Amino acid sequence: MIVIKELVKQYPHATTPIINQLTLNVVKGESVSIRGASGCGKSTLLALMAGFEEADAGTIQIGNIALSCDREKDADAFRRDQLGVVFQSFNLLDCLNVWDNIAFTARLKGVVDAPYQEHIMDTLGIAPLRQKMPSALSGGEQQRVAIARALVHRPSVVLADEPTGNLDETTSDQVAQALYSICAELATTLIVVTHSNEVAQQAQTPMWLRHGTLHAAPVAGGR
Ligand SMILES: Nc1ncnc2c1ncn2[C@@H]1O[C@H](COP(=O)(O)OP(=O)(O)OP(=O)(O)O)[C@@H](O)[C@H]1O
Ligand SMILES: [Mg+2]
């Protein structure tokens, strides 16, 4: 489902690449967690996979789309239809209430399904918030709205950056469980970046990012 080969990304003025010859293979429906020190490049890796950043070298294939080559129409349509992204900052639309924020991507794709949206909001414990505006929500509530928005159009791949970063421990566990179970329900491939061991351990394949590449076991030391 996701094949990444020899990916390299170096930001201007940095002395070394933040992603350096990184390789990753993920099968359909697999859940992968990525842990690693702050600043080691986790969000950068997700931004490359989502096509928000351009790599300096290497290839990323998601489904039938080679993101690094087909940057134009096909890749855009793929992102709209097949990708769900939970950002580290939530990026909710201030002028829309909770229900319309969540429905936004499904509307773009033309696949609004109100009962399914109810189900997801219920699973995430945000059904009673449907009429509220984002400015009237706590950080944790906004985070759950962002998760619902990423899932509601039934994407084949979900990229989640710190999806429980703003939640207390109990809510974090509940939201992580909801995220994993909704993805399992639909055989959605899930890549979740997190600092929480509890959240990471629920993934089928836990990984660690250090020195620009992914490892199957924690690597001692800093970045
Ligand atoms: N647009 C950018 N331009 C230049 N440098 C950047 C840019 N985005 C990130 N960086 C740098 O790249 C490094 C990796 O950042 P990134 O956000 O990927 O880390 P992270 O692993 O997600 O950290 P955290 O756990 O704190 O979220 C940092 O040193 C950061 O300052
Ligand atoms: Mg980050």
Side-chain angles (χ1 to χ4, degrees):
M1 187 71 204
I2 302 177
V3 180
I4 301 181
K5 287 188 186 151
E6 296 170 6
L7 193 68
V8 178
K9 173 72 185 177
Q10 180 160 0
Y11 285 116
H13 310 301
T15 49
T16 51
I18 189 75
I19 301 294
N20 199 355
Q21 300 291 329
L22 181 143
T23 292
L24 175 67
N25 284 293
V26 185
V27 298
K28 181 171 167 46
E30 186 176 354
S31 55
V32 175
S33 61
I34 300 177
R35 278 171 273 186
S38 185
C40 74
K42 303 179 298 297
S43 295
T44 301
L45 176 58
L46 288 196
L48 290 164
M49 292 170 77
F52 301 143
E53 289 279 356
E54 214 167 335
D56 297 312
T59 57
I60 302 177
Q61 182 153 358
I62 303 188
N64 295 325
I65 300 288
L67 278 186
S68 31
C69 310
D70 309 338
R71 280 196 58 81
E72 304 305 330
K73 240 175 40 206
D74 286 355
D76 286 345
F78 175 83
R79 275 193 282 277
R80 184 194 62 211
D81 294 347
Q82 302 296 329
L83 211 59
V85 183
V86 184
F87 298 93
Q88 196 163 11
S89 51
F90 321 117
N91 293 348
L92 298 180
L93 298 161
D94 291 337
C95 55
L96 298 180
N97 69 20
V98 163
W99 178 272
D100 289 334
N101 255 289
I102 296 171
F104 190 77
T105 34
R107 285 199 178 119
L108 287 182
K109 194 179 166 184
V111 294
V112 175
D113 177 345
Y116 186 64
Q117 183 167 333
E118 296 273 3
H119 163 65
I120 284 186
M121 290 174 72
D122 222 32
T123 311
L124 288 163
I126 51 172
L129 305 177
R130 70 188 67 217
Q131 301 289 352
K132 287 203 166 187
M133 301 305 281
S135 56
L137 301 178
S138 74
E141 288 167 345
Q142 289 182 45
Q143 193 152 34
R144 281 179 277 166
V145 174
I147 293 172
R149 182 182 56 182
L151 295 170
V152 78
H153 60 302
R154 296 186 168 87
S156 53
V157 176
V158 169
L159 307 174
D161 198 352
E162 293 282 357
T164 62
N166 289 276
L167 306 176
D168 63 69
E169 213 172 305
T170 312
T171 316
S172 166
D173 285 349
Q174 286 166 358
V175 168
Q177 260 170 32
L179 178 64
Y180 282 108
S181 77
I182 294 167
C183 287
E185 238 171 64
L186 296 174
T188 301
T189 306
L190 173 65
I191 311 288
V192 54
V193 161
T194 182
H195 286 290
S196 157
N197 290 330
E198 284 69 29
V199 173
Q201 277 157 7
Q202 294 180 52
Q204 290 159 348
T205 312
M207 304 206 86
W208 284 260
L209 181 61
R210 186 159 186 243
H211 296 326
T213 57
L214 286 166
H215 306 265
V219 187
R223 289 191 206 170

